[in-house]
Amino acid sequence: MKNNSKRNLVKHAIKQFCILLLVHLVAMLVYGLFLSNSVAHMVLDEEIAEANLAVFWFGIVVCAMFSVIYTKADVSFVDYRKGLKESLRAGKSFWAIFREKHLAKDLVKVLVFAFVQIPFLIFSFFVDLSLVLPLFIESFYVMNMGSYLMTGNPLLGILLDTLLFGGIFILFRLLFLFLSCRDVKKEMI
């Protein structure tokens, strides 16, 4: 049984890795289309702090949007709601349901989020990050770059970015789980 759950977590991690690569690509495209010129002009006008802050907030917005979309889709499946109904009928508390159904997988998501940044972490140790003429790797990791720029240190940047993502994701997970539990309880009456 333990091997099966470990195998499921590994499959989940691979799935999350692929999803996060896609999210990075989408963030790169959105940033390139709508924000990159404004940020580059800020840097050229020597408004470095404002440019860094804009990229930082862009990353937070991307994390929040990803968290909302992913979590909303996750709790919308019929099987999920059926399992939730069974857990509530069994008298499990909100926190017990969260630990049982989400905690391990959500922690894997956060670890994969950090793992995906390792190439950028290594890159940022050797190269000063640029918002004016970014290389492909800088553009690809633009949703993470704000934390690196705000802290001025790659290790603190990855730590801050991972903590922000984990906090945002788990906050939305808890919110949607609470709303789903409330809806399922209403259906049960």
Side-chain angles (χ1 to χ4, degrees):
M1 178 114 171
K2 284 189 177 186
N3 285 339
N4 193 25
S5 67
K6 286 181 184 180
R7 193 175 334 204
N8 286 341
L9 283 179
V10 169
K11 286 180 182 178
H12 181 72
I14 292 168
K15 176 183 169 189
Q16 296 315 307
F17 180 79
C18 295
I19 289 171
L20 281 172
L21 291 180
L22 181 63
V23 169
H24 277 81
L25 283 173
V26 170
M28 177 180 76
L29 293 173
V30 169
Y31 177 84
L33 290 172
F34 299 108
L35 200 59
S36 63
N37 285 337
S38 299
V39 170
H41 285 294
M42 283 185 224
V43 172
L44 294 173
D45 292 340
E46 297 184 12
E47 298 170 351
I48 308 299
E50 291 85 357
N52 292 350
L53 195 58
V55 175
F56 178 74
W57 279 107
F58 174 77
I60 289 176
V61 168
V62 169
C63 286
M65 290 178 67
F66 167 74
S67 298
V68 167
I69 292 167
Y70 186 95
T71 306
K72 178 66 176 157
D74 195 31
V75 300
S76 297
F77 291 115
V78 174
D79 289 340
Y80 177 82
R81 294 182 72 81
K82 183 179 172 185
L84 193 57
K85 189 178 286 188
E86 290 170 5
S87 294
L88 289 170
R89 278 196 180 126
K92 292 184 180 175
S93 70
F94 172 81
W95 294 107
I97 293 170
F98 173 71
R99 281 192 313 271
E100 178 185 302
K101 294 190 177 294
H102 300 292
L103 185 59
K105 287 185 176 182
D106 289 353
L107 291 176
V108 167
K109 285 177 188 66
V110 174
L111 290 173
V112 169
F113 184 82
F115 178 77
V116 165
Q117 293 184 60
I118 290 174
F120 188 60
L121 174 71
I122 294 167
F123 173 84
S124 61
F125 271 117
F126 298 106
V127 177
D128 289 333
L129 301 177
S130 173
L131 294 172
V132 178
L133 293 171
L135 299 172
F136 176 80
I137 191 169
E138 293 166 309
S139 295
F140 184 78
Y141 284 100
V142 72
M143 70 179 272
N144 310 109
M145 190 186 295
S147 296
Y148 289 67
L149 293 170
M150 293 297 284
T151 61
N153 181 307
L155 288 176
L156 291 176
I158 192 172
L159 180 63
L160 175 63
D161 201 44
T162 302
L163 288 174
L164 284 171
F165 172 77
I168 291 168
F169 189 86
I170 291 186
L171 180 70
F172 280 109
R173 168 68 76 201
L174 292 170
L175 174 66
F176 280 102
L177 177 61
F178 172 78
L179 295 173
S180 296
C181 284
R182 190 183 67 183
D183 290 346
V184 168
K185 283 179 183 177
K186 285 180 185 177
E187 291 172 8
M188 290 169 52
I189 294 175

